[in-house]
Amino acid sequence: MSLATSPTLEQLMHALEHLPGVGPKTAQRLAFHLLKQPESFIRQFAETLVTAHLKIKPCSVCFHLSEQNPCPLCQSPKRHRETLCVVVDPRDVMALERTQNYHGLYHVLGGLISPLDGVGPEQLNIKALLNRLKANANSEPQADAEPVTLIREVILALPPSTEGDTTSLYLTRLLKPTGLILSRIAFGLPVGGDLDYADHLTLTRAMDGRRSL
Ligand SMILES: [Zn+2]
């Protein structure tokens, strides 16, 4: 039986086409590349995928991906707990961490409000953000415990796109009454640019040049 008529090959190519940015041609190229690899590599590769899937989960506090819950960023005593940076996805956390310029906490929204794609605020981690800020406002410093550092500033690190602006506006309206300092990072990026694609210096400047809302 030739490979072109192999249902297993069809299945492999179909599975690969589920990956972002992979069309039928790339899927075919990847499938043939994988078929040429030794069995040891394929077994290791498959195992890595399954292990990653089982072990890496969203943090129940900030929704960044981690093997621990709460994640190391939420647990670290070194983080500045008075600042909370709202980002779209875990890749943004990683991009900001790479700059080594931001030392506060994070909150991953998991997407942006996009009515055209049927994504409303309820599909995003916005309720969890509000609950987090509410818990923050209600926590009383205890006499015999370490002083609780409360979140004072929320930084919206959302992309300069229509969806980014819509989400930013929505969150601004929602968070303004809390009395927290609200700001949005300044972008030196083309409209629609992701944080993930920005270089260290651009991201550092964007964070340092954040504008009050
Ligand atoms: Zn976390």
Side-chain angles (χ1 to χ4, degrees):
M1 187 163 91
S2 81
L3 276 176
T5 58
S6 159
T8 310
L9 178 63
E10 292 286 329
Q11 208 179 352
L12 175 60
M13 290 195 297
H14 193 66
L16 290 166
E17 271 185 62
H18 276 88
L19 298 172
V22 177
K25 278 206 160 169
T26 308
Q28 192 185 51
R29 191 161 54 84
L30 291 173
F32 279 97
H33 175 81
L34 288 170
L35 287 175
K36 276 190 268 173
Q37 303 309 307
E39 188 177 334
S40 57
F41 172 85
I42 295 296
R43 286 197 183 279
Q44 182 69 48
F45 191 76
E47 209 171 294
T48 306
L49 275 181
V50 174
T51 308
H53 173 77
L54 293 176
K55 280 195 177 175
I56 306 171
K57 305 277 180 202
C59 166
S60 62
V61 180
C62 72
F63 297 90
H64 183 44
L65 292 174
S66 172
E67 292 188 30
Q68 293 166 42
N69 192 19
C71 74
L73 287 167
C74 283
Q75 286 197 54
S76 169
K78 289 185 186 149
R79 304 301 297 194
H80 299 174
R81 292 184 175 269
E82 64 276 21
T83 320
L84 183 80
C85 183
V86 178
V87 295
V88 182
D89 70 37
R91 286 178 305 153
D92 301 334
V93 175
M94 291 163 100
L96 284 165
E97 283 302 291
R98 280 197 296 271
T99 68
Q100 299 187 350
N101 180 56
Y102 176 73
H103 307 286
L105 303 173
Y106 291 98
H107 193 88
V108 176
L109 288 181
L112 291 166
I113 297 171
S114 175
L116 285 177
D117 302 313
V119 182
E122 61 286 350
Q123 268 99 43
L124 308 173
N125 301 321
I126 290 178
K127 203 168 178 206
L129 171 66
L130 287 181
N131 288 339
R132 204 173 162 187
L133 295 173
K134 213 184 278 174
N136 169 71
N138 292 339
S139 57
E140 298 271 335
Q142 291 173 10
D144 54 347
E146 295 228 347
V148 181
T149 312
L150 299 176
I151 297 163
R152 291 183 60 240
E153 181 180 5
V154 176
I155 303 166
L156 304 179
L158 306 177
S161 58
T162 311
E163 291 84 6
D165 291 347
T166 307
T167 311
S168 183
L169 196 66
Y170 181 85
L171 289 174
T172 305
R173 283 194 188 136
L174 214 57
L175 300 180
K176 204 81 183 167
T178 61
L180 293 161
I181 301 166
L182 272 185
S183 59
R184 183 168 179 193
I185 66 167
F187 266 97
L189 289 174
V191 167
D194 282 337
L195 263 68
D196 195 31
Y197 294 118
D199 60 82
H200 290 198
L201 191 63
T202 308
L203 259 187
T204 301
R205 281 186 185 148
M207 184 58 87
D208 290 348
R210 60 187 182 267
R211 302 180 311 267
S212 297
L213 292 167

